[in-house]
Amino acid sequence: MSQLKIRALAYQELAHPLLDPRADVATTFETIAERVAPAMNFAVQTVPENEREQIAEHFLCSTIVNTCFTVGDIDWATVRRSFESRVSAAPETFINAYECASWGYALRYYFKQNPEARYVLVSVLDANIYNFEFWVWNHNWEHSGFGCTTVLLERTGELTNELVTGAAMGGNPMMEFATALRRVIGARKHCTLALPFFPENIRLMFDNILKAFERLPNDHPRWGHAFGNDPWIAIMLDALKKGDGHTGTYLGASLALNGYYCMTEVDVTPETRLLLNELPAAERAAVPQKKAANENVIVLATGGAG
Amino acid sequence: MKAAAVPGSLAARPAGATAVRANLSFRFHAEQDYALYHDHRGLGRAPVLLDWRQCFAFFEAVVRAARAAVPDLEMILIRANGPHGDWKIPPLLLEESVLLCVDPAFQARKLERSRDFDRFLVVDHGIKRLPLEKGDNRLRLELWGPDANEAAEQLAALRGRLTEYEIDWD
């Protein structure tokens, strides 16, 4: 049993392309906020109105929403306002530095800051703002999935080992991550593993290393690699499959391309509320054909001669 | 809570720096990918003084200097936004007492209101690490604590430990 309960879990799948690739970035974020607001509000509304002020933080995390800030097309304050006008307890803090593991590092920060907190909201938004082809398909994980998870966690007791963050700094982050998972779940065999969705050849390696432990299915063909959303989608699908009265204790885990990883032990209870907003197949990203390894590469020299 | 702040600007590349690859974190494939570069070329006039690797080294130097100059420092908030090229965030910056976030100044205002920490440092900046990055190489260190005079003294000590970087403090 974990001291972190999933009070609400929602996933809004997002279309690809979301809008015209040359659309104004502020308009793109208005569209995103409009589409994900119902799922965020669904999560907030699972808490009685007189308790909602206890939701003191809502983190918005991402892997691929970053270039818009780098090039200065928009700033976070503007994006935040797009959500504030539509969502009660709108996201206030944006974290993407840790890529797919950002949600775990956000939770670590929050509970260090506020170990007595009861509720925390975390959303994981991955939308392809500029329709970059790399984010649609690449050799690392093949096709991607786009959408936004919102999870409302309730802390029901003192946290001990519910959160794990780390970084695989060697040459084979996948293997290091799998080994770290085996070490962590070895001490908590009551958990079911909710892992990132990866192509079958990668998951075979995970299956091999983690064969002694229960694992949720790898639905990469349907969902693609949806970045930090994957473990939450997997938990959602399992809970929906179980139906009314669903219960489960999961170790959800994400791994970044640069090796940062996070894990959290969470409970689904019969009180957990679920919302899965899938898109019709025609609105999802078309899965491109596999590419040759010699894609065009642009290298921008910074000049740095001292 | 009270704060002391020192603004400044990075003025030069670190001594001994050599040419490096810019290392975008992902590859361009399609015409629309290159369009982004086309639309943003010549972004701003500020020079690139630190690449991502050097910038991480700079943040590490700030963290070390802060810990030496400010006893009981509980949290360091640093502005960071991917992509970081191929560069991995070094372990020091992944520690529990550091948060990398997109808008540390806003987060600092939240921390001030919540009073969850007695002492924290905000590292805000506009360091430009790629030609395709908007930045002005400005820097602002802000130290929050129970006493403004003490914070100002500690910030001065912190600055004194960053002499290997050429920074024009305002």
Side-chain angles (χ1 to χ4, degrees):
Chain A
M1 205 177 85
S2 168
Q3 300 299 342
L4 283 178
K5 316 280 182 217
I6 299 181
R7 184 79 176 237
L9 178 56
Y11 184 69
Q12 174 63 57
E13 196 173 22
L14 290 171
H16 191 279
L18 196 62
L19 292 172
D20 180 274
R22 304 297 279 273
D24 173 68
V25 172
T27 306
T28 303
F29 274 103
E30 286 287 314
T31 305
I32 289 171
E34 192 177 297
R35 296 198 184 155
V36 306
M40 288 182 175
N41 284 323
F42 165 85
V44 173
Q45 284 157 9
T46 60
V47 172
E49 216 162 333
N50 61 350
E51 289 181 9
R52 282 183 202 160
E53 64 182 27
Q54 293 180 55
I55 307 174
E57 184 59 276
H58 185 172
F59 293 97
L60 187 59
C61 301
S62 185
T63 301
I64 69 170
V65 177
N66 48 37
T67 304
C68 51
F69 301 121
T70 310
V71 301
D73 278 351
I74 200 162
D75 59 21
W76 168 235
T78 308
V79 175
R80 201 169 57 227
R81 283 193 291 274
S82 300
F83 286 98
E84 278 168 357
S85 60
R86 297 175 171 95
V87 180
S88 58
E92 291 194 311
T93 305
F94 192 92
I95 297 180
N96 62 17
Y98 313 92
E99 305 169 19
C100 297
S102 292
W103 60 261
Y105 280 81
L107 287 173
R108 181 185 74 168
Y109 165 75
Y110 186 63
F111 285 115
K112 173 185 167 66
Q113 177 200 140
N114 195 347
E116 303 295 318
R118 181 171 174 192
Y119 294 114
V120 59
L121 268 169
V122 179
S123 292
V124 182
L125 169 68
D126 278 298
N128 197 355
I129 306 293
Y130 297 102
N131 295 321
F132 280 130
E133 202 166 312
F134 181 88
W135 296 130
V136 179
W137 194 103
N138 65 65
H139 288 281
N140 299 296
W141 56 76
E142 301 188 355
H143 71 286
S144 303
F146 304 100
C148 184
T149 294
T150 297
V151 58
L152 177 67
L153 294 174
E154 181 178 8
R155 189 190 59 82
T156 53
E158 190 183 349
L159 299 185
T160 50
N161 59 0
E162 277 79 357
L163 285 168
V164 177
T165 52
M169 288 299 185
N172 191 343
M174 293 277 186
M175 183 65 82
E176 271 187 68
F177 174 57
T179 309
L181 277 167
R182 184 172 60 188
R183 193 173 58 244
V184 171
I185 199 166
R188 36 184 126 176
K189 293 179 179 145
H190 55 283
C191 291
T192 301
L193 278 167
L195 299 173
F197 297 145
F198 282 130
E200 209 45 42
N201 59 330
I202 296 175
R203 278 295 290 253
L204 284 174
M205 184 272 287
F206 282 95
D207 288 346
N208 190 33
I209 291 177
L210 300 164
K211 57 183 171 236
F213 309 101
E214 200 177 332
R215 304 173 303 284
L216 294 180
N218 175 36
D219 208 355
H220 181 267
R222 159 65 183 92
W223 298 97
H225 176 64
F227 309 94
N229 290 295
D230 291 346
W232 304 106
I233 296 172
I235 291 170
M236 165 101 71
L237 295 173
D238 192 55
L240 288 171
K241 198 168 110 191
K242 287 175 176 169
D244 289 346
H246 40 51
T247 59
T249 299
Y250 301 90
L251 188 71
S254 285
L255 171 71
L257 191 57
N258 270 326
Y260 328 119
Y261 60 76
C262 64
M263 308 170 201
T264 187
E265 183 177 334
V266 286
D267 280 352
V268 164
T269 72
E271 287 71 52
T272 300
R273 292 290 160 262
L274 305 166
L275 177 70
L276 178 59
N277 285 339
E278 296 188 58
L279 290 178
E283 293 180 35
R284 296 178 214 145
V287 180
Q289 297 299 305
K290 291 196 179 197
K291 295 175 192 308
N294 59 342
E295 315 101 316
N296 293 329
V297 178
I298 186 168
V299 176
L300 306 174
T302 61
Chain B
M1 290 190 83
K2 308 286 183 197
V6 282
S9 293
L10 275 175
R13 298 184 178 106
T18 53
V20 291
R21 262 175 31 134
N23 277 14
L24 284 177
S25 68
F26 55 87
R27 294 167 174 198
F28 287 0
H29 297 274
E31 190 179 334
Q32 72 205 37
D33 299 350
Y34 289 93
L36 178 92
Y37 179 62
H38 183 270
D39 292 348
H40 293 82
R41 70 200 151 145
L43 195 69
R45 292 188 174 177
V48 173
L49 299 176
L50 302 178
D51 62 56
W52 262 110
R53 180 179 52 83
Q54 293 161 333
C55 188
F56 281 143
F58 174 65
F59 292 157
E60 287 183 291
V62 173
V63 168
R64 287 195 191 96
R67 287 179 179 170
V70 188
D72 306 323
L73 184 64
E74 291 163 282
M75 179 56 66
I76 302 173
L77 307 172
I78 303 176
R79 180 180 289 273
N81 172 54
H84 308 138
D86 294 341
W87 304 110
K88 292 177 193 290
I89 301 169
L92 184 68
L93 302 180
L94 293 173
E95 289 182 4
E96 200 180 23
S97 58
V98 177
L99 180 74
L100 306 174
C101 60
V102 166
D103 190 351
F106 183 81
Q107 191 61 26
R109 290 197 293 277
K110 278 182 69 96
L111 282 184
E112 182 204 355
R113 286 197 301 273
S114 71
R115 296 178 171 266
D116 289 329
F117 293 127
D118 288 331
R119 271 186 190 76
F120 62 91
L121 176 73
V122 180
V123 182
D124 208 349
H125 64 88
I127 298 174
K128 181 170 177 167
R129 290 146 296 207
L130 290 169
L132 191 61
E133 181 171 24
K134 189 182 177 190
D136 55 9
N137 291 321
R138 293 283 294 163
L139 179 68
R140 181 185 167 87
L141 303 180
E142 193 175 272
L143 182 62
W144 288 82
D147 182 279
N149 289 333
E150 183 193 52
E153 282 168 25
Q154 290 173 331
L155 214 43
L158 193 167
R159 270 173 51 174
R161 291 173 176 271
L162 291 174
T163 49
E164 65 183 292
Y165 291 93
E166 205 168 311
I167 301 168
D168 289 339
W169 300 103
D170 294 358

